[in-house]
């Protein structure tokens, strides 16, 4: 086997896949601007993605904030810089860990669920049924989920930010002997609007990616249970990888402005 | 025996040389059909012969690779999806009901959420209950969910959904598959009576010969990607074609070779 040919085939397949996802995404966005808009589907998706993801995202944020406080303390103690714990926890959670870990947790929960739901609808001919009932699957299934996830993720991450800082505060005052008022004042003093906004913008982009990959993999699901299973796995894996890659690109962007 | 010809205005569905392949697998190799208005046509053929692909091509759910399809005088290639679907109702093999919606919203789906004309929820519910009654289901089923229904009830709900907007063409994809003989008989009789009452053109695909004899005015056999035979249902027992005769008799030996058969 010619390794160059294999690399070429893989590259072409990657580019073709990227193109298909881009076209699917642009059609999904275009569907938003052509009536009708399915508000009930949007609210159902918003509730599922936003409200029902709160426990998993909240717990992740609390434990991450606590662990970050301990690690920062351990690092800071090496140069007598223990006082940096509140600022590092706040900035680390708000700019990076809140949106990224929140995004990954929601990708695991939501991208898989969307892909499984739409994939099952495809293999049981419900997508075909939608078309015969004069309903566009892009408008009915994809567009409401894209909007719901793009709006829900920033709200989820805002809650995760608060809970992550709360986790760091809790560990700092109970395990590291920080003064509660001083810790909170340091957190507020060091945190800037730009930190919060950059994190929330990342969250919105991650939300779009999660819904896009869930819908795309579901709509392109193969036949039978194994086809739906594969679509579900692909949705989580591609959404997670895209979240991490996009996070780096967005971080570079916010770093340079 | 070839398909009928006749006045173009009298033909509801015309397919000429329709082809469709999936990769190297040529499923449809040039299908020709002409189905009159108000006729009940049944397409028979073995498993995997491309019957489902054919009806999905006829309404544009699967794009044909080649050939020409005309529905109610409108070439499919020139019609918008809405123009086609306004004329069409379809009963899917597994019912294809939406799990997250109660029965009445499934039946009234198009009236509530379709991109054509819509009606308010109260009116849509009334129409749904009326259509459910037409297929023998009482109003108590309206608020159940599909998962709470038996296979036969799901088929009947699917049938109610297919006729909710009074379509001029109704497609039935394997309407009795998975049902016991009595329920299959109920569904066959319902299809026959609904088609007679509404005057709709019906296209059914099935390999259930009891269904064929109950539902069909005329029968076409799809074999190896082409329509091999078309004729009135009365000719099924003496079709003059060994392939059709073997299929109708269900005989393992004959010109149709089945993989793995002894």
């Amino acid at each position: 086997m010619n390794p160059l040919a294999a690399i070429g085939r893989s590259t072409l397949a990657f580019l073709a896949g990227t193109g298909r996802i881009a076209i699917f995404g642009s059609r999904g966005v275009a569907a938003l601007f052509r009536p009708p808009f399915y508000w009930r589907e949007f609210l159902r998706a918003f509730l599922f993605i936003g409200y029902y993801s709160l426990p998993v995202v909240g717990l992740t944020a609390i434990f991450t904030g606590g662990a970050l406080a301990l690690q920062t303390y351990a690092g800071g103690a090496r140069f007598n810089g223990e006082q940096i714990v509140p600022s590092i926890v706040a900035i680390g959670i708000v700019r990076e860990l809140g949106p990224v870990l929140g995004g990954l947790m929601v990708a695991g929960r939501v991208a898989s669920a969307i892909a499984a739901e739409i994939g099952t609808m495809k293999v049981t001919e419900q997508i075909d049924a939608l078309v015969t009932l004069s309903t566009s699957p892009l408008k009915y299934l994809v567009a409401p989920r894209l909007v719901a996830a793009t709006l829900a993720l920033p709200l989820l991450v805002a809650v995760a930010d608060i809970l992550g800082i709360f986790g760091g505060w809790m560990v700092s005052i109970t395990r590291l002997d920080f003064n509660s008022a001083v810790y909170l004042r340091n957190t507020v003093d060091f945190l800037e609007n730009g930190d919060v906004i950059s994190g929330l913008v990342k969250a919105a982009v991650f939300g779009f990616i999660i819904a896009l990959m869930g819908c795309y993999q579901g709509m392109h699901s193969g036949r039978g249970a194994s086809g739906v299973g594969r679509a579900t796995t692909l949705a989580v894996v591609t959404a997670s990888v895209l979240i991490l890659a996009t996070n780096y690109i967005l971080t570079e962007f916010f770093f340079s402005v | 025996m070839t398909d009928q010809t006749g006045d173009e205005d009298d033909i509801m569905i015309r397919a000429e040389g329709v082809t469709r392949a999936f990769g190297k697998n040529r499923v449809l190799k040039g299908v020709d059909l002409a189905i009159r208005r108000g006729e009940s046509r049944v397409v028979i053929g073995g498993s995997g012969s491309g019957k489902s692909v054919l009806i999905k091509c006829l309404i544009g759910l699967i794009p044909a690779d080649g050939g020409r399809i005309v529905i109610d005088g409108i070439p499919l290639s020139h019609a918008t999806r809405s123009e086609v679907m306004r004329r069409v109702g379809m009963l899917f093999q597994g019912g294809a009901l939406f799990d997250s919606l109660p029965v009445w919203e499934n039946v009234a789906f198009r009236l509530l959420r379709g991109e054509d004309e819509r009606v308010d929820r109260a009116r849509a519910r009334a129409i749904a209950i009326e259509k459910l009654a037409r297929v023998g289901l009482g109003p108590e089923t309206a608020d159940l969910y599909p998962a709470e229904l038996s296979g036969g009830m799901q088929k009947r709900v699917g049938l109610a959904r297919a006729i909710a907007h009074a379509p001029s063409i109704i497609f039935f994809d394997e309407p009795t598959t998975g049902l016991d003989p009595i329920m299959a008989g109920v569904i066959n009789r319902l299809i026959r009576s609904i088609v007679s009452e509404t005057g709709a053109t019906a296209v059914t695909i099935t390999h259930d010969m009891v269904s064929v004899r109950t539902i069909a005015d005329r029968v076409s056999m799809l074999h190896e990607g082409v329509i091999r035979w078309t004729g009135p249902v009365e000719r099924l027992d003496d079709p003059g074609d060994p392939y059709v005769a073997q299929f109708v008799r269900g005989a393992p030996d004959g010109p149709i070779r089945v993989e793995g058969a002894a």
Side-chain angles (χ1 to χ4, degrees), chain B residues 80-103:
Chain B
T80 63
R81 185 160 268 177
S82 171
E83 279 177 314
V84 176
M85 296 310 169
R86 201 178 299 141
R87 293 165 164 79
V88 168
M90 183 155 174
L91 172 61
F92 287 87
Q93 188 173 347
L97 302 179
F98 305 120
D99 311 330
S100 59
L101 300 176
V103 162

Side-chain angles (χ1 to χ4, degrees), chain A residues 48-247:
Chain A
F48 175 72
I49 297 166
Y51 184 71
Y52 290 113
S53 297
L54 266 176
V56 68
V57 171
L59 284 172
T60 304
I62 288 175
F63 290 126
T64 303
L68 185 60
L70 289 174
Q71 296 286 23
T72 309
Y73 185 86
R78 292 175 193 170
F79 54 92
N80 294 324
E82 294 92 337
Q83 71 281 2
I84 63 168
V85 170
S87 56
I88 295 294
V89 167
I91 291 172
I93 290 285
V94 169
R95 289 183 72 113
E96 197 67 25
L97 294 174
V100 172
L101 290 182
L104 291 175
M105 296 308 288
V106 176
R109 185 180 171 273
V110 171
S112 57
I114 292 176
E117 185 182 3
I118 295 181
T120 304
M121 289 182 74
K122 189 183 176 205
V123 300
T124 56
E125 296 186 305
Q126 291 178 52
I127 304 280
D128 285 341
L130 277 178
V131 177
T132 65
L133 295 166
S134 281
T135 306
S136 159
L138 273 177
K139 288 185 198 171
Y140 184 71
L141 296 175
V142 178
R145 284 165 175 77
L146 287 178
V147 181
T150 306
L151 295 179
L153 255 285
L155 294 176
L156 265 177
V157 166
V159 175
D161 289 348
I162 294 166
L163 291 175
I165 290 170
F166 169 77
W169 168 82
M170 187 93 137
V171 167
S172 297
I173 63 166
T174 55
R175 288 270 291 110
L176 307 175
D177 294 330
F178 270 80
N179 176 283
S180 172
V182 172
Y183 186 98
L184 291 176
R185 192 180 312 119
N186 277 350
T187 299
V188 173
D189 286 347
F190 277 98
L191 211 52
E192 295 175 359
N193 286 341
D195 299 327
V196 178
I197 290 168
S198 70
L200 297 183
V201 169
K202 282 182 177 181
V205 174
F206 298 163
F208 182 82
I209 288 170
I210 289 165
L212 176 65
M213 296 320 299
C215 292
Y216 176 82
Q217 300 296 352
M219 294 287 269
H220 293 82
S221 165
R223 286 182 181 181
S226 64
V228 176
R230 187 174 145 74
T232 306
T233 306
L234 278 173
V236 177
V237 171
T238 51
S240 301
V241 171
L242 276 175
I243 283 172
L244 294 171
T246 311
N247 179 58

Side-chain angles (χ1 to χ4, degrees), chain B residues 31-239:
Chain B
V31 170
D32 297 311
L33 273 176
I35 302 172
R36 289 184 194 280
R37 290 177 193 280
E39 176 185 332
S40 179
R41 175 70 62 94
V42 174
V43 180
I44 58 173
S47 300
S49 61
K51 302 187 296 295
S52 292
V53 173
L54 173 61
I55 61 167
K56 286 183 178 178
C57 283
L58 290 179
I59 55 174
L61 282 176
I62 296 176
D65 295 334
R68 181 167 176 266
I69 296 165
V70 181
I71 298 272
D72 198 8
I74 307 171
L76 205 58
S77 54
H78 292 68
T80 63
R81 185 160 268 177
S82 171
E83 279 177 314
V84 176
M85 296 310 169
R86 201 178 299 141
R87 293 165 164 79
V88 168
M90 183 155 174
L91 172 61
F92 287 87
Q93 188 173 347
L97 302 179
F98 305 120
D99 311 330
S100 59
L101 300 176
V103 162
W104 81 266
E105 285 196 47
N106 266 282
V107 175
F109 189 93
R110 185 188 201 116
L111 306 172
L112 290 168
R113 297 174 174 84
E115 290 172 27
D116 307 330
E117 67 271 36
R118 295 190 187 186
V119 302
D120 62 69
R121 286 179 73 79
R123 174 91 187 107
R125 187 181 165 91
I127 293 172
I129 288 174
E130 178 194 324
K131 299 299 176 186
L132 285 169
R134 178 64 196 84
V135 297
L137 294 173
E140 68 281 0
T141 52
D143 293 310
L144 298 177
Y145 281 81
E148 299 173 271
L149 305 177
S150 67
M153 288 168 86
Q154 289 191 11
K155 285 274 167 84
R156 284 196 270 178
V157 173
L159 184 53
R161 184 174 69 180
I163 60 172
H165 65 296
S168 49
I169 309 168
I170 313 175
F171 290 89
F172 301 96
D173 184 357
E174 306 273 8
T176 56
T177 298
L179 301 180
D180 66 68
I182 296 171
M183 184 52 70
V186 170
I187 296 289
N188 286 334
R189 199 166 56 189
L190 266 175
I191 291 173
R192 184 74 249 183
S193 65
I194 283 171
V195 169
S196 303
E197 266 174 37
T198 60
T201 306
V203 183
T204 306
I205 58 168
T206 185
H207 41 227
D208 175 352
M209 294 314 296
V210 177
S211 285
V212 176
R213 293 178 196 280
T214 312
I215 296 171
D217 295 327
R218 289 172 68 83
V219 181
S220 296
M221 180 166 175
L222 182 66
H223 181 67
E224 294 186 342
V226 294
I227 297 293
R228 180 171 181 89
W229 181 88
T230 294
V233 66
E234 299 80 17
R235 290 284 309 278
L236 268 184
D237 292 320
D238 181 22

